[in-house]
Amino acid sequence: PRLTEERRKELVKVVRKMSEGTKVAIRNIRREANEQLKGLEKNKKISQDQLHQWIDKVQASTDKFIEKVDEVLAAKEKEILEI
């Protein structure tokens, strides 16, 4: 049976919630990575310049993956809302 418009909107809400959970998980990984990098810098294993370079790389990766989540979300919403 075809989905009703109401049910499709409910599914979109579920998908959005899932994507937000994924984004939170990605941000938590970024936070953990940054904490580990700061620990390395504190223990003199890496320099401050290296710390900032790595933090920038972690941020770039985070941005890339969050953008990918947004792309998948948009595609899935479009798919669900198509009649």
Side-chain angles (χ1 to χ4, degrees):
R2 299 199 93 166
L3 295 173
T4 64
E5 183 177 352
E6 183 179 316
R7 180 66 181 143
R8 285 195 300 268
K9 288 180 180 181
E10 288 173 16
L11 288 172
V12 167
K13 287 180 185 179
V14 170
V15 170
R16 284 183 182 161
K17 189 172 184 175
M18 291 172 70
S19 74
E20 188 57 38
T22 302
K23 290 178 187 181
V24 168
I26 292 169
R27 290 184 195 114
N28 286 339
I29 292 168
R30 176 191 60 196
R31 182 179 42 80
E32 291 170 9
N34 286 345
E35 287 172 1
Q36 288 179 352
L37 289 168
K38 288 175 184 176
L40 289 173
E41 191 266 336
K42 184 178 178 183
N43 293 331
K44 306 292 184 201
K45 302 258 189 218
I46 61 173
S47 69
Q48 276 192 337
D49 288 341
Q50 289 173 317
L51 171 67
H52 292 295
Q53 289 172 353
W54 280 104
I55 286 177
D56 290 344
K57 287 180 183 181
V58 169
Q59 184 61 49
S61 292
T62 301
D63 293 343
K64 182 181 80 172
F65 284 111
I66 287 182
E67 183 179 319
K68 185 70 174 172
V69 169
D70 288 338
E71 289 172 8
V72 171
L73 170 64
K76 196 51 133 173
E77 282 181 351
K78 183 179 176 187
E79 180 184 334
I80 290 171
L81 292 175
E82 282 181 356
I83 296 177

